[in-house]
mmCIF file of all heavy atoms in Angstrom:
data_model
loop_
_atom_site.group_PDB
_atom_site.id
_atom_site.type_symbol
_atom_site.label_atom_id
_atom_site.label_comp_id
_atom_site.label_asym_id
_atom_site.label_seq_id
_atom_site.Cartn_x
_atom_site.Cartn_y
_atom_site.Cartn_z
ATOM 1 N N ARG A 64 -10.936 -26.997 -41.384
ATOM 2 C CA ARG A 64 -11.705 -26.867 -42.625
ATOM 3 C C ARG A 64 -12.244 -25.443 -42.747
ATOM 4 O O ARG A 64 -12.618 -24.819 -41.763
ATOM 5 C CB ARG A 64 -12.868 -27.854 -42.640
ATOM 6 C CG ARG A 64 -12.444 -29.283 -42.767
ATOM 7 C CD ARG A 64 -13.660 -30.181 -42.947
ATOM 8 N NE ARG A 64 -13.264 -31.521 -43.294
ATOM 9 C CZ ARG A 64 -13.041 -32.484 -42.413
ATOM 10 N NH1 ARG A 64 -13.171 -32.242 -41.126
ATOM 11 N NH2 ARG A 64 -12.684 -33.690 -42.812
ATOM 12 N N PHE A 65 -12.314 -24.975 -43.993
ATOM 13 C CA PHE A 65 -12.888 -23.675 -44.294
ATOM 14 C C PHE A 65 -14.402 -23.841 -44.455
ATOM 15 O O PHE A 65 -14.859 -24.671 -45.233
ATOM 16 C CB PHE A 65 -12.252 -23.116 -45.568
ATOM 17 C CG PHE A 65 -12.796 -21.792 -45.986
ATOM 18 C CD1 PHE A 65 -12.550 -20.663 -45.232
ATOM 19 C CD2 PHE A 65 -13.566 -21.677 -47.124
ATOM 20 C CE1 PHE A 65 -13.042 -19.442 -45.612
ATOM 21 C CE2 PHE A 65 -14.071 -20.465 -47.517
ATOM 22 C CZ PHE A 65 -13.813 -19.335 -46.756
ATOM 23 N N LEU A 66 -15.190 -23.089 -43.711
ATOM 24 C CA LEU A 66 -16.661 -23.165 -43.709
ATOM 25 C C LEU A 66 -17.165 -24.576 -43.436
ATOM 26 O O LEU A 66 -18.114 -25.053 -44.035
ATOM 27 C CB LEU A 66 -17.239 -22.657 -45.035
ATOM 28 C CG LEU A 66 -17.091 -21.165 -45.304
ATOM 29 C CD1 LEU A 66 -17.630 -20.831 -46.677
ATOM 30 C CD2 LEU A 66 -17.808 -20.343 -44.251
ATOM 31 N N PHE A 67 -16.500 -25.282 -42.542
ATOM 32 C CA PHE A 67 -16.866 -26.605 -42.027
ATOM 33 C C PHE A 67 -16.759 -27.743 -43.044
ATOM 34 O O PHE A 67 -16.818 -28.892 -42.674
ATOM 35 C CB PHE A 67 -18.280 -26.601 -41.428
ATOM 36 C CG PHE A 67 -18.460 -25.609 -40.336
ATOM 37 C CD1 PHE A 67 -19.195 -24.456 -40.548
ATOM 38 C CD2 PHE A 67 -17.883 -25.810 -39.097
ATOM 39 C CE1 PHE A 67 -19.368 -23.526 -39.539
ATOM 40 C CE2 PHE A 67 -18.051 -24.880 -38.079
ATOM 41 C CZ PHE A 67 -18.796 -23.741 -38.297
ATOM 42 N N PHE A 68 -16.628 -27.475 -44.345
ATOM 43 C CA PHE A 68 -16.596 -28.532 -45.353
ATOM 44 C C PHE A 68 -15.433 -28.417 -46.326
ATOM 45 O O PHE A 68 -14.927 -29.421 -46.820
ATOM 46 C CB PHE A 68 -17.901 -28.537 -46.179
ATOM 47 C CG PHE A 68 -19.124 -28.763 -45.354
ATOM 48 C CD1 PHE A 68 -20.024 -27.745 -45.135
ATOM 49 C CD2 PHE A 68 -19.369 -30.000 -44.786
ATOM 50 C CE1 PHE A 68 -21.165 -27.955 -44.378
ATOM 51 C CE2 PHE A 68 -20.503 -30.222 -44.019
ATOM 52 C CZ PHE A 68 -21.397 -29.191 -43.821
ATOM 53 N N PHE A 69 -15.025 -27.225 -46.666
ATOM 54 C CA PHE A 69 -14.095 -27.002 -47.772
ATOM 55 C C PHE A 69 -12.648 -26.932 -47.294
ATOM 56 O O PHE A 69 -12.357 -26.501 -46.192
ATOM 57 C CB PHE A 69 -14.435 -25.687 -48.497
ATOM 58 C CG PHE A 69 -15.851 -25.632 -48.982
ATOM 59 C CD1 PHE A 69 -16.768 -24.811 -48.368
ATOM 60 C CD2 PHE A 69 -16.262 -26.436 -50.034
ATOM 61 C CE1 PHE A 69 -18.074 -24.759 -48.811
ATOM 62 C CE2 PHE A 69 -17.566 -26.391 -50.488
ATOM 63 C CZ PHE A 69 -18.480 -25.552 -49.870
ATOM 64 N N PHE A 70 -11.764 -27.320 -48.196
ATOM 65 C CA PHE A 70 -10.311 -27.203 -48.020
ATOM 66 C C PHE A 70 -9.800 -27.778 -46.697
ATOM 67 O O PHE A 70 -9.222 -27.060 -45.881
ATOM 68 C CB PHE A 70 -9.861 -25.744 -48.137
ATOM 69 C CG PHE A 70 -10.334 -25.055 -49.371
ATOM 70 C CD1 PHE A 70 -11.195 -23.976 -49.289
ATOM 71 C CD2 PHE A 70 -9.919 -25.494 -50.615
ATOM 72 C CE1 PHE A 70 -11.633 -23.329 -50.429
ATOM 73 C CE2 PHE A 70 -10.356 -24.845 -51.757
ATOM 74 C CZ PHE A 70 -11.221 -23.758 -51.680
ATOM 75 N N PRO A 71 -9.979 -29.060 -46.458
ATOM 76 C CA PRO A 71 -9.446 -29.626 -45.211
ATOM 77 C C PRO A 71 -7.910 -29.661 -45.236
ATOM 78 O O PRO A 71 -7.301 -29.913 -46.284
ATOM 79 C CB PRO A 71 -10.021 -31.040 -45.186
ATOM 80 C CG PRO A 71 -10.264 -31.374 -46.612
ATOM 81 C CD PRO A 71 -10.614 -30.081 -47.293
ATOM 82 N N ARG A 72 -7.308 -29.364 -44.102
ATOM 83 C CA ARG A 72 -5.852 -29.460 -43.986
ATOM 84 C C ARG A 72 -5.491 -29.865 -42.561
ATOM 85 O O ARG A 72 -6.200 -29.563 -41.612
ATOM 86 C CB ARG A 72 -5.153 -28.166 -44.373
ATOM 87 C CG ARG A 72 -5.442 -27.007 -43.461
ATOM 88 C CD ARG A 72 -4.650 -25.796 -43.883
ATOM 89 N NE ARG A 72 -5.016 -24.660 -43.044
ATOM 90 C CZ ARG A 72 -4.437 -23.503 -43.113
ATOM 91 N NH1 ARG A 72 -3.467 -23.294 -43.982
ATOM 92 N NH2 ARG A 72 -4.812 -22.522 -42.326
ATOM 93 N N GLU A 73 -4.377 -30.550 -42.456
ATOM 94 C CA GLU A 73 -3.874 -31.002 -41.156
ATOM 95 C C GLU A 73 -3.077 -29.876 -40.508
ATOM 96 O O GLU A 73 -2.191 -29.298 -41.132
ATOM 97 C CB GLU A 73 -2.965 -32.222 -41.317
ATOM 98 C CG GLU A 73 -3.698 -33.495 -41.663
ATOM 99 C CD GLU A 73 -4.444 -34.071 -40.487
ATOM 100 O OE1 GLU A 73 -3.926 -34.008 -39.353
ATOM 101 O OE2 GLU A 73 -5.555 -34.578 -40.710
ATOM 102 N N ARG A 74 -3.393 -29.584 -39.267
ATOM 103 C CA ARG A 74 -2.634 -28.598 -38.487
ATOM 104 C C ARG A 74 -1.945 -29.321 -37.342
ATOM 105 O O ARG A 74 -2.490 -30.265 -36.776
ATOM 106 C CB ARG A 74 -3.552 -27.518 -37.917
ATOM 107 C CG ARG A 74 -4.283 -26.677 -38.931
ATOM 108 C CD ARG A 74 -3.359 -25.845 -39.798
ATOM 109 N NE ARG A 74 -2.546 -24.954 -39.027
ATOM 110 C CZ ARG A 74 -2.574 -23.636 -39.090
ATOM 111 N NH1 ARG A 74 -3.382 -23.043 -39.922
ATOM 112 N NH2 ARG A 74 -1.783 -22.920 -38.355
#
Side-chain angles (χ1 to χ4, degrees):
R64 291 187 170 91
F65 179 69
L66 291 177
F67 303 107
F68 300 109
F69 304 108
F70 308 116
R72 65 177 176 175
E73 287 286 322
R74 298 296 301 243

